Amino acid sequence: MSFDALVHSIFRRVSVTREDRDAYQANTSKLTTRLLDVVLRTFDLGFTAFGGPPVHFQIFHRRFVDGHGKTPWIDEQTYQELFAISQALPGPASTKMLFNIVHIHAGMVPAILAFLLWSLPGAIAMYGFSVGVQQISETPPLPVYALLSGLNAATVGLIALAAVQLARKAITDPLTRLLVAFGGCAGLCYNALWYFPALLVFAGFVTVAWDMVGRGLLIKWKNKQRNNRRSVTPPEPKQMDEIKSNPSMDALGPQRRQATSDTPPTLEETSPVPSQSPRDASTHAIPVKFGLIAIILFFASFTVFMSIRGALHHSPLLLALFNNMLLAGTIIFGGGPVVIPLLREYVVDPGWVSPRDFLLGLAVIQAMPGPNFNFAVYLGALVVAGPASSKSVPTVVGAILGYLGIFLPGLWLSVGFHSIWQSLRKRREVTSILRGINAAAVGFVFTAVYRLWEIGYLTAEQAKGVSLGQEPWWLVVAASTFTAVEWFSVPPPVAILAGGTAGICWWAAVERH
């Protein structure tokens, strides 16, 4: 290997300076100090994080990796690994992502506080909307449809931007580029509970097989081809003079000349090298044995609740509501594209919630800050107030049951698998698997753009939602949102509100007449 190649290889591996290590140290202060640290960095997210999980991931990256003038909490590689794990486990992906980031930085109790700060503002707002929706007429005013359509169009622009930005980080080589495209295309073609986790498993298998076997075979084949070409290519006159003047060089053959001038890269040198080395994030880690106990306890309790669900043909409404939300939170992979039809089956088909109220809540949750799984709060309150209820229980009880049932599985499993990840994250095969999962999951974000686009336009005649492409104005709103946030640094909440305003203006100028 030449001297320049050796220096380049060293600098690729030594990418962590002392300042970098200091910047990513976990907060080991006393609990009150850690809680204050978390509050100051996360208190506004529940009010300003519009756009759904794809946009949330970008917000978390800017705040906790880039820092924006403050000390970053995690590095780029840890962020990418947590992103892959959040997608691979059931439940709300962005909520698990935030919970795990805070857990690494400050510990379990601050992570729970961050979750509450993150989810409660939207949950309270959705509960308030559930109270209001019971008082409105069967058909909302027409400006409401235009407002919601404008909000959806702006959200499409934000999700599209988030997809592009996430892809820039997830694509590290041609294979991950193919997996991003694969995840996006495959996600468009089919939609089922088992489908998204199966795609993630396949992507992880592809990358680990390529990194462990395929890359080495390719390098050997290239080396063989190169040696074959050199063995049949006569030396140039200048090279013949060197051989005559130095017979030892000819005795060593092409291997010596190759080593001195053009050494082919080895497997280790051509493997994707993370932008940063894995940090020691074990300060607040849970021991593996406790993580395994947490996983076992979860599945034991889940089995008990599902056994009760199957044994009781006419279980009490509150128990049935909690069981349905717990089941949804446990088996949902892939986020919104899967959770919406599943929740509809669990609350509309039994007659607990009317189709109109379900669709109104679905339209509103797309424009709310915080996690989209707060939709369960709205549905839980409506179930207790609906025709199947005796109405002897306050609606807030249903909202709380929906909230706990939908969020608890994902967070509980995150705690258990977090401990396992801490012990395995430095293994090369685990890194390869997460690289593939991460790339395919980014492809799912492009799928989310299409799915919201196809149901974003709401009218009195089409309350279920139709394609935003039926009205060119919504394309203008989506493109303007993308441009404003990407190129002019407009805050996403401002862009979302501008989209709603654009919807009202469109109604006043066109639809009203």
Side-chain angles (χ1 to χ4, degrees):
M1 180 185 294
S2 64
F3 177 77
D4 290 341
L6 177 62
V7 172
H8 178 68
S9 176
I10 293 174
F11 273 100
R12 290 178 72 205
R13 286 161 175 77
V14 186
S15 59
V16 184
T17 64
R18 180 170 182 173
E19 290 77 9
D20 288 331
R21 288 194 296 269
D22 293 341
Y24 297 105
Q25 288 180 348
N27 188 339
T28 56
S29 306
K30 60 182 182 179
L31 180 59
T32 53
T33 303
R34 284 183 280 140
L35 290 173
L36 180 61
D37 178 29
V38 169
V39 169
L40 292 177
R41 292 288 287 273
T42 64
F43 77 94
D44 62 321
L45 288 175
F47 300 95
T48 60
F50 292 88
V55 182
H56 298 162
F57 292 130
Q58 284 303 103
I59 294 173
F60 297 160
H61 189 279
R62 289 195 299 268
R63 181 163 300 198
F64 303 122
V65 180
D66 297 337
H68 279 194
K70 299 181 180 179
T71 302
W73 281 6
I74 59 173
D75 64 350
E76 180 67 34
Q77 183 176 346
T78 302
Y79 175 89
Q80 296 295 337
E81 291 175 3
L82 290 179
F83 176 79
I85 292 172
S86 298
Q87 297 289 341
L89 293 177
S94 57
T95 300
K96 290 178 292 181
M97 184 82 168
L98 177 63
F99 183 87
N100 287 328
I101 289 173
V102 179
H103 185 195
I104 289 174
H105 176 72
M108 177 63 68
V109 175
I112 295 173
L113 174 62
F115 162 69
L116 295 175
L117 294 173
W118 160 252
S119 60
L120 283 180
I124 293 172
M126 289 306 295
Y127 174 70
F129 182 67
S130 72
V131 175
V133 78
Q134 302 170 46
Q135 311 300 324
I136 64 176
S137 60
E138 185 67 24
T139 302
L142 294 180
V144 173
Y145 291 109
L147 171 67
L148 295 175
S149 298
L151 294 174
N152 285 340
T155 302
V156 166
L158 282 180
I159 297 176
L161 175 59
V164 172
Q165 293 174 340
L166 288 170
R168 290 170 185 163
K169 297 180 176 65
I171 294 174
T172 58
D173 60 352
L175 179 60
T176 48
R177 187 181 298 277
L178 290 174
L179 288 176
V180 169
F182 164 76
C185 295
L188 293 175
C189 296
Y190 191 65
N191 188 8
L193 288 176
W194 61 268
Y195 186 59
F196 287 96
L199 294 178
L200 294 176
V201 170
F202 174 76
F205 171 79
V206 168
T207 48
V208 75
W210 170 252
D211 290 344
M212 300 295 111
V213 180
R215 190 183 301 276
L217 294 176
L218 178 62
I219 291 175
K220 290 181 180 179
W221 179 80
K222 287 184 176 180
N223 290 345
K224 182 178 180 181
Q225 294 296 317
R226 185 176 303 177
N227 291 334
N228 289 339
R229 286 196 301 268
R230 283 174 176 162
S231 63
V232 299
T233 302
E236 297 179 0
K238 182 178 179 181
Q239 193 174 31
M240 286 295 297
D241 294 339
E242 293 177 357
I243 294 174
K244 291 178 181 180
S245 62
N246 187 5
S248 61
M249 183 175 180
D250 185 54
L252 290 174
Q255 287 77 16
R256 169 64 183 270
R257 294 193 296 273
Q258 176 180 313
T260 58
S261 60
D262 190 20
T263 301
T266 64
L267 173 60
E268 183 182 13
E269 292 167 358
T270 56
S271 297
V273 177
S275 59
Q276 295 168 334
S277 300
R279 305 280 193 257
D280 181 10
S282 60
T283 303
H284 298 293
I286 298 174
V288 175
K289 62 179 181 179
F290 290 110
L292 293 175
I293 291 173
I295 295 173
I296 293 172
L297 287 177
F298 171 78
F299 282 108
S301 60
F302 176 75
T303 302
V304 170
F305 278 106
M306 292 305 103
S307 299
I308 295 174
R309 183 177 186 265
L312 298 178
H313 296 288
H314 300 286
S315 59
L317 181 62
L318 295 181
L319 178 60
L321 169 64
F322 180 77
N323 278 340
N324 283 1
M325 293 302 174
L326 184 70
L327 178 60
T330 304
I331 65 176
I332 289 173
F333 294 83
V338 180
V339 69
I340 298 307
L342 188 66
L343 289 180
R344 192 183 191 284
E345 176 184 346
Y346 286 170
V347 299
V348 175
D349 291 355
W352 297 348
V353 176
S354 70
R356 183 209 71 158
D357 291 348
F358 183 89
L359 292 171
L360 284 177
L362 176 60
V364 170
I365 194 62
Q366 303 287 352
M368 291 296 294
N372 286 347
F373 275 49
N374 278 331
F375 192 31
V377 174
Y378 168 84
L379 295 176
L382 289 183
V383 167
V384 173
S389 173
S390 62
K391 299 181 175 58
S392 59
V393 178
T395 56
V396 69
V397 175
I400 293 174
L401 290 176
Y403 179 83
L404 293 176
I406 203 76
F407 281 111
L408 187 60
L411 296 180
W412 194 334
L413 290 174
S414 287
V415 171
F417 282 97
H418 179 81
S419 63
I420 301 174
W421 164 73
Q422 292 284 10
S423 63
L424 296 178
R425 65 188 301 251
K426 295 181 181 180
R427 296 181 63 88
R428 186 182 175 196
E429 57 271 24
V430 174
T431 302
S432 294
I433 292 172
L434 293 178
R435 187 166 65 93
I437 292 175
N438 182 43
V442 169
F444 296 163
V445 179
F446 288 94
T447 301
V449 177
Y450 170 78
R451 295 196 182 280
L452 181 56
W453 177 268
E454 287 300 296
I455 62 169
Y457 183 19
L458 303 176
T459 65
E461 296 77 19
Q462 299 288 342
K464 292 183 178 180
V466 293
S467 174
L468 290 167
Q470 294 191 13
E471 172 54 53
W473 178 247
W474 306 130
L475 177 58
V476 172
V477 173
S480 299
T481 302
F482 184 103
T483 304
V485 177
E486 170 72 353
W487 298 109
F488 298 98
S489 301
V490 174
V494 175
I496 290 286
L497 294 177
T501 303
I504 295 293
C505 293
W506 172 82
W507 173 83
V510 178
E511 191 71 8
R512 188 179 62 174
H513 304 291

